[in-house]
């Protein structure tokens, strides 16, 4: 059923303003045309046949105005404009206003306009004719006096034409602004090209009619021929435009029509939002059919086309008259629903669509089950333009597919390709590409360049495989170097130099005391607040799950300061660095290794969450750059520690993408050889999720790394699948118990049972066990009682840059737990 023309009704809430404008235009029209109309009564008997001919044609043509295809009747073109403007040029204002009023009354009756609207239309034309007549009076006048036309006459006619169009179009646009709301100029500009082409052509035809009337009234009807030709050409053009906005298969509006509709609706709803109206939400629903490809592949595209036609018919029945249903192509449809109170109404519409698609479609006796996934984006909550709403609806639709759901509303956390994340990815690429090249000057853990002698002995400068060896030698003065921290590290690493300094600091790796020390009286000094950079204490910079996927990644060594040119290149993208968290042997308290954790301080966002960073990088080729960077920096840091006499094993996480090719094994082998680092000093941590992604390819890469001598650790053990199978088949050396179990083992018997059984199982298979997330003394004691090999967590130390780790190692005192009544693991009560 055709909807009523909205311009026939007066808008609620704006009656006074709109009615005042209409009354003002009608009053002005009466004022300017009263005297000319009274004068017409005396002149009517003296008007020539040419006038009456034009008057009859004007009224007759407006009985059937031209309505372009695909447009509302509000965009109709009235041919009477041509004749009434010609009458104005030849016989003055009174006759023109009278004929125009009769033509408007006829067209208004034909198009079922209300009385007040017909009156306003007649008044608007009267005002436009009066303004044009005023311009004509400024010229010499006398177009029918028989004299040749002069250039001043042409200028006067041109000025009158422009004035008529400006006044008429301005009055109509202002009325629309008061009727529907919105900004005046955008609304006026939208229909200006069409009005210039249609109404402007009729106005320019008027002088031709006047010229024909000067010769003979019989020539006037001939103008109907070009008018009819223009009419037909315009209709054909309109039909082609309409076809260009329709889908040829289903007859629904296509993407072009959807763009125009959303743009118009966004403009209207923006005004509703500004007025704080309740129905100010606009919903864009994107529908993607499920299993449609299966139909095409199995039954052919012809059956697929019939299915689309049937689906479109069902959707038409669901969508109301006020909403727009469009087919975007393939098996994608879109619905634009306006005037909603919120997301609940949009969901109700989506549920009706789901119900319509739930019933199988029967084609040739074969029931086809399609179904669909629907994504919803709302204006203004999820976007304020077509492009944003369309993209967010698409994100929501794929979110629904991934969750095996039917309907999803856009959520920012589901948008993995937002403009913000794309910008973050671009910044990440810049900071990685601007990083220091291979073969950099080897620097110590504090960031100072190592003396050339030490670098040479470490095999870094030459790329050899010379190993650092400590030999007893006579005491000699420390190498002259301005960095006191490096001197402390060298002193702590040399047993001879360490003796005088033992009471003050000690060394990083110390033989456990003969008598166990109770941590209650002398617990490990995890972090000295005075020596810790606020960065390592800031929760935003601390890895939420040490050793977990959030810490996967690479980065340059924070200890190595970049040169001026590099700083200039990366200033706009921030700085990537590596933090290191110690791993401590529980039984002895000895620091046996560290885990490398990624940190990126962004100039605008601050410390970027590691999980978000990896999530962004893993979807692009930037992950390869990131992996290369972390391998280079961690291996280089191991070389620095070796040069300083510190023997640590460093563990770094790798992503699924890294394990799908053998490139990571080649990269590690090359860097180990270049920096002269023993393979046993490096360990890779992989998750069970990575193993499940592509077991065959991942196993091949892990096997190559194992052959190189690089240890493999299974991270987040217990959170994935087929764990026992992995323990049996893979060349593993270590298992890391996930922090989700360790954190609760002191209070939860289930978690405690999982941790203990994991330790027993790994021990039976000859694997080392590391517990992550140790944050209190009781958990530390429980792990010792359970036989866990090593642990990491805030109980010992938080992740810290390399230079802070060197200072921490210099202060650290190894501690061993002693038996305690609190060390009994909680057990579940019998059920």
């Amino acid at each position: 059923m055709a909807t009523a023309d909205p311009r026939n009704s007066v808008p609620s809430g704006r009656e006074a303003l709109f009615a005042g404008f209409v009354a003002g235009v009608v009053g002005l029209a009466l004022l300017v045309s009263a005297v000319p109309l009274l004068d017409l009564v005396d002149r009517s008997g003296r008007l020539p046949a040419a006038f009456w001919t034009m008057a009859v044609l004007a009224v007759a043509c407006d009985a059937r105005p031209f309505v372009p295809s695909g447009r509302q009747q509000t965009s109709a073109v009235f041919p009477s404009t041509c004749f009434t403007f010609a009458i104005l040029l030849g016989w003055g204002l009174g006759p023109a206003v009278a004929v125009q009023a009769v033509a408007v009354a006829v067209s208004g009756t034909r198009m079922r306009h209300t009385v007040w609207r017909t009156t306003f239309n007649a008044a608007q034309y009267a005002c436009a004719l009066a303004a044009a007549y005023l311009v004509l009076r400024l010229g010499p006048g006398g177009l029918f006096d028989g004299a040749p036309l002069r250039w001043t006459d042409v200028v006067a006619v041109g000025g009158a034409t422009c004035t008529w169009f400006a006044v008429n179009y301005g009055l109509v646009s202002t009325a629309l602004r008061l009727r529907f709301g919105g900004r005046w100029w955008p609304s006026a500009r939208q229909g200006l090209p069409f009005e210039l082409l249609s109404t402007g052509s009729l106005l320019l035809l008027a002088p031709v009619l006047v010229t024909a009337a000067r010769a003979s009234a019989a020539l006037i009807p001939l103008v109907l021929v070009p008018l009819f030709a223009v009419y037909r050409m315009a209709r054909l053009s309109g039909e082609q435009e309409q076809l260009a906005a329709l889908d040829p298969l289903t007859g629904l509006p296509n993407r072009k029509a959807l763009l125009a509709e959303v743009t118009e609706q966004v403009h209207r709803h923006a005004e509703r939002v500004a007025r704080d109206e309740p129905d100010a939400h606009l919903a864009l629903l994107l529908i993607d059919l499920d299993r449609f490809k299966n139909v095409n592949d199995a039954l052919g595209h012809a059956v697929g086309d019939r299915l689309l036609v049937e689906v479109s018919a069902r959707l038409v029945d669901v969508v109301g008259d006020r909403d727009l249903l469009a087919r975007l192509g393939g098996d994608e449809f879109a619905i634009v629903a306006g005037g909603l109170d919120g997301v609940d109404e949009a969901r109700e519409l989506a549920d009706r669509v789901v119900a319509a698609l739930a019933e199988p479609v029967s084609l040739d006796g074969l029931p086809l089950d399609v179904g669909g996934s629907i994504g919803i984006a709302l204006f203004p909550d999820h976007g304020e333009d077509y492009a944003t709403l369309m993209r967010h609806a698409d994100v929501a639709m794929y979110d629904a597919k991934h969750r095996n759901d039917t309907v999803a509303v856009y959520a920012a956390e589901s948008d993995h390709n937002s403009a913000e994340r794309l910008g973050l990815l671009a910044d990440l690429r810049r900071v990685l590409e601007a990083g220091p090249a291979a073969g950099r000057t080897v620097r110590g853990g504090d960031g100072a360049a190592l003396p050339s002698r030490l670098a040479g002995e470490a095999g870094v400068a030459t790329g050899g495989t010379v190993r650092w060896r400590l030999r007893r030698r006579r005491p000699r003065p420390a190498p002259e170097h301005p960095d006191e921290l490096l001197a402390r590290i060298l002193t702590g690493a040399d047993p001879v130099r360490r003796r005088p300094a033992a009471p003050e600091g000690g060394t990083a790796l110390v033989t456990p005391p003969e008598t166990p020390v109770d941590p209650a009286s002398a617990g490990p000094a995890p972090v000295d607040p005075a020596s810790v950079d606020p960065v390592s204490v800031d929760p935003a910079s601390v890895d939420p799950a040490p050793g977990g996927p959030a810490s996967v990644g690479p980065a340059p060594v924070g200890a190595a300061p970049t040169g001026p040119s590099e700083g200039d290149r990366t200033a706009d993208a921030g700085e990537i660095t590596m933090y290191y968290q110690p791993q401590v042997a529980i039984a002895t308290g000895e620091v046996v290794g560290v885990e490398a954790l990624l940190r990126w301080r962004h100039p605008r966002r601050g410390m970027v969450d590691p999980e978000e960073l990896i999530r962004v990088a893993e979807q692009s080729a930037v992950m390869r750059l990131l992996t290369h960077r972390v391998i280079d920096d961690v291996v280089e840091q191991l070389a620095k520690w070796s040069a300083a006499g510190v023997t640590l094993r460093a563990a770094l996480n790798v992503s699924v993408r890294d394990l799908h090719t053998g490139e990571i094994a080649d990269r590690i082998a090359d860097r180990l050889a270049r920096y002269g680092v023993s393979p046993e000093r490096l360990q890779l941590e992989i998750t069970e999720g990575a193993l499940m992604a592509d077991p065959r390819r991942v196993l091949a890469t892990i096997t190559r790394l194992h052959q190189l001598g690089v240890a493999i650790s299974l991270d987040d053990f217990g959170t994935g699948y087929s764990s026992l199978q992995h323990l049996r088949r893979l060349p593993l050396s270590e298992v890391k118990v996930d922090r989700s179990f360790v954190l609760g083992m002191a209070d939860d018997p289930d978690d405690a049972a999982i941790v203990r059984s994991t330790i027993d199982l790994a021990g039976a298979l000859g694997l080392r066990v590391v517990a992550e997330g140790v944050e209190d003394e009781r958990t530390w004691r429980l792990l010792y009682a359970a036989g866990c090999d090593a642990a990491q967590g805030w109980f010992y130390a938080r992740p810290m840059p390399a230079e802070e780790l060197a200072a921490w190692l210099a202060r650290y005192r190894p501690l061993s737990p002693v038996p305690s009544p609190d060390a009994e693991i909680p057990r579940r009560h019998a059920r």
Side-chain angles (χ1 to χ4, degrees):
M1 182 179 66
T3 58
D5 191 340
R7 299 193 191 185
N8 282 331
S9 60
V10 178
S12 58
R14 292 186 292 271
E15 294 89 344
L17 186 59
F18 183 73
F21 177 77
V22 172
V25 173
V26 172
L28 180 62
L30 292 175
L31 181 63
V32 299
S33 60
V35 175
L37 287 176
L38 292 175
D39 184 60
L40 177 62
V41 177
D42 299 332
R43 296 177 53 198
S44 59
R46 302 191 300 271
L47 293 175
F51 164 78
W52 295 109
T53 303
M54 290 186 186
V56 172
L57 292 176
V59 175
C61 289
D62 268 16
R64 189 177 180 184
F66 167 54
V67 180
S69 301
R71 293 178 177 265
Q72 297 178 344
Q73 291 183 347
T74 53
S75 300
V77 178
F78 300 95
S80 63
T81 300
C82 171
F83 298 102
T84 56
F85 192 68
I87 293 174
L88 176 70
L89 296 177
W91 295 281
L93 180 59
V97 170
V99 173
Q100 186 69 74
V102 175
V104 168
V106 171
S107 62
T109 303
R110 175 72 171 76
M111 302 177 70
R112 298 180 181 179
H113 290 173
T114 58
V115 176
W116 70 264
R117 182 177 175 185
T118 302
T119 304
F120 172 77
N121 289 339
Q124 101 194 24
Y125 283 119
C127 291
L129 290 170
Y133 182 71
L134 180 61
V135 174
L136 288 174
R137 293 294 299 269
L138 298 177
L143 294 179
F144 275 89
D145 58 5
L149 293 177
R150 293 164 296 191
W151 69 270
T152 53
D153 297 318
V154 177
V155 172
V157 172
T161 303
C162 295
T163 302
W164 187 100
F165 183 86
V167 172
N168 184 74
Y169 193 69
L171 292 175
V172 173
S173 299
T174 303
L176 291 177
R177 165 66 176 84
L178 297 175
R179 167 63 184 87
F180 296 106
R183 293 173 294 176
W184 183 84
W185 174 240
S187 300
R189 182 179 57 184
Q190 185 177 3
L192 185 59
F194 178 78
E195 293 294 337
L196 281 174
L197 181 62
S198 57
T199 307
S201 300
L202 294 174
L203 292 174
L204 293 177
L205 192 59
V208 178
L209 278 174
V210 174
T211 304
R214 292 174 61 180
S216 173
L219 297 177
I220 296 177
L222 296 179
V223 77
L224 295 177
V225 176
L227 276 179
F228 179 76
V230 172
Y231 172 84
R232 291 299 301 170
M233 291 178 62
R235 178 170 290 277
L236 291 175
S237 176
E239 290 175 353
Q240 290 179 354
E241 181 181 354
Q242 183 182 20
L243 290 175
L246 293 179
D247 173 56
L249 176 64
T250 62
L252 297 175
N254 59 11
R255 189 181 295 268
K256 179 181 178 181
L258 179 68
L259 169 61
E261 179 69 14
V262 172
T263 302
E264 180 180 356
Q265 292 291 345
V266 162
H267 171 65
R268 292 184 179 180
H269 285 72
E271 297 298 330
R272 296 181 183 179
V273 171
R275 293 190 297 270
D276 199 21
E277 295 182 3
D279 57 345
H281 286 83
L282 173 71
L284 177 61
L285 282 68
L286 195 61
I287 307 167
D288 185 81
L289 301 184
D290 299 332
R291 298 174 295 277
F292 177 74
K293 184 178 183 299
N294 298 339
V295 175
N296 266 346
D297 294 344
L299 304 178
H301 289 275
V303 176
D305 290 345
R306 292 172 57 193
L307 177 62
L308 290 175
V309 172
E310 179 63 28
V311 168
S312 65
R314 291 190 180 186
L315 295 178
V316 168
D317 295 337
V318 174
V319 177
D321 294 334
R322 67 173 185 173
D323 302 332
L324 175 73
L325 171 65
R327 181 189 175 216
L328 305 183
D331 60 344
E332 282 192 341
F333 296 83
I335 298 175
V336 182
L340 305 180
D341 291 334
V343 68
D344 291 338
E345 291 190 32
R347 277 190 171 275
E348 291 177 3
L349 175 59
D351 291 339
R352 294 199 301 270
V353 172
V354 171
L357 298 178
E359 292 294 328
V361 178
S362 180
L363 295 178
D364 298 332
L366 178 65
L368 301 177
D369 185 14
V370 283
S373 301
I374 304 177
I376 303 175
L378 264 69
F379 169 89
D381 301 345
H382 305 143
E384 298 183 353
D385 56 71
Y386 169 80
T388 305
L389 290 172
M390 192 67 183
R391 191 176 67 81
H392 287 173
D394 190 64
V395 169
M397 184 264 292
Y398 278 103
D399 186 33
K401 280 186 176 294
H402 293 158
R403 292 191 288 107
N404 292 324
D405 202 350
T406 52
V407 181
V409 180
Y410 172 77
E413 56 268 20
S414 301
D415 191 355
H416 303 306
N417 296 306
S418 64
E420 181 182 4
R421 290 193 174 183
L422 291 176
L424 190 66
L425 183 63
D427 290 342
L428 178 60
R429 177 180 287 275
R430 281 201 300 271
V431 73
L432 290 174
E433 291 179 344
R440 295 167 291 182
T441 302
V442 178
R443 302 178 181 272
D446 60 329
L450 289 175
S452 58
R453 178 190 58 78
L454 293 178
E457 291 184 11
V460 177
T462 61
T465 58
V466 181
R467 300 194 178 191
W468 177 265
R469 293 178 298 174
L470 290 177
R471 299 190 300 268
R472 286 192 174 273
R473 59 190 71 181
R474 291 179 301 171
R476 57 184 178 184
E480 296 182 2
H481 198 280
D483 197 316
E484 297 181 1
L485 182 58
L486 177 60
R488 291 176 59 189
I489 296 175
L490 294 176
T491 302
D494 192 329
V496 178
R497 295 178 184 151
R498 188 175 64 238
R499 289 173 185 170
E504 180 180 348
T507 179
L509 303 178
V510 184
T511 303
E514 297 179 1
T515 304
V517 181
D518 187 356
S521 60
V527 183
D528 182 1
S531 65
V532 177
D533 191 323
V535 172
S536 63
V537 182
D538 182 6
S541 68
V542 178
D543 186 18
S551 63
V552 177
V557 184
T562 57
S565 60
E566 179 190 341
D568 295 340
R569 292 195 306 269
T570 62
D572 59 337
E575 178 188 6
I576 286 184
T577 187
M578 294 299 294
Y579 277 41
Y580 297 90
Q581 185 172 35
Q583 294 179 340
V584 180
I586 298 178
T588 65
E590 179 184 0
V591 179
V592 295
V594 293
E595 181 179 5
L597 304 172
L598 177 64
R599 296 292 184 267
W600 180 18
R601 183 179 293 279
H602 196 274
R604 295 181 303 277
R605 300 183 43 162
M607 202 62 91
V608 179
D609 179 56
E611 288 189 6
E612 181 180 5
L613 173 57
I614 299 303
R615 197 162 47 237
V616 168
E618 275 191 318
Q619 305 302 320
S620 70
V622 174
M623 192 66 210
R624 178 175 176 271
L625 299 176
L626 199 59
T627 300
H628 288 180
R629 184 69 169 270
V630 72
I631 292 173
D632 294 351
D633 293 335
V634 171
V635 174
E636 182 190 11
Q637 187 62 56
L638 288 173
K640 297 171 187 177
W641 285 328
S642 293
V646 178
T647 304
L648 290 176
R649 179 183 67 249
L652 58 92
N653 290 265
V654 291
S655 71
V656 178
R657 291 172 62 102
D658 299 328
L659 299 174
H660 281 177
T661 65
E663 183 180 1
I664 186 173
D666 297 334
R667 185 82 177 188
I668 289 176
D670 176 75
R671 291 307 182 266
L672 290 175
R674 172 176 296 187
Y675 289 101
V677 175
S678 174
E680 290 77 14
R681 299 277 306 282
L682 186 66
Q683 178 172 290
L684 296 189
E685 296 185 357
I686 61 175
T687 62
E688 292 187 76
L691 297 175
M692 294 298 296
D694 192 341
R696 183 182 58 82
R697 296 169 64 183
V698 170
L699 180 60
T701 302
I702 291 177
T703 302
R704 288 194 57 193
L705 291 170
H706 176 70
Q707 292 171 352
L708 290 175
V710 176
I712 305 297
S713 173
L714 186 59
D715 198 4
D716 297 342
F717 184 77
T719 61
Y721 306 94
S722 305
S723 299
L724 297 180
Q725 181 181 1
H726 294 161
L727 292 179
R728 180 174 60 88
R729 294 179 52 195
L730 298 178
L732 301 175
S733 61
E734 178 183 282
V735 170
K736 294 191 72 174
V737 184
D738 187 70
R739 64 180 281 119
S740 62
F741 304 120
V742 176
L743 287 174
M745 66 176 297
D747 302 313
D748 190 331
D750 292 338
D751 289 343
I754 292 174
V755 173
R756 182 152 197 162
S757 61
T758 300
I759 294 173
D760 293 341
L761 176 62
L765 295 175
L767 301 177
R768 184 172 57 250
V769 182
V770 177
E772 56 185 11
V774 181
E775 298 185 359
D776 56 65
E777 180 182 344
R778 187 182 178 194
T779 303
W780 173 55
R781 293 180 182 276
L782 292 175
L783 290 171
Y784 172 72
C788 185
D789 297 303
Q792 68 181 75
W794 287 9
F795 176 70
Y796 294 104
R798 302 186 182 190
M800 63 190 81
E803 65 272 18
E804 293 182 12
L805 178 65
W808 183 87
L809 290 172
R811 297 190 309 273
Y812 177 72
R813 294 290 190 278
L815 296 176
S816 300
V818 294
S820 170
D822 296 337
E824 183 179 353
I825 293 184
R827 298 184 181 275
R828 181 202 298 269
H829 295 290
R831 295 178 180 176

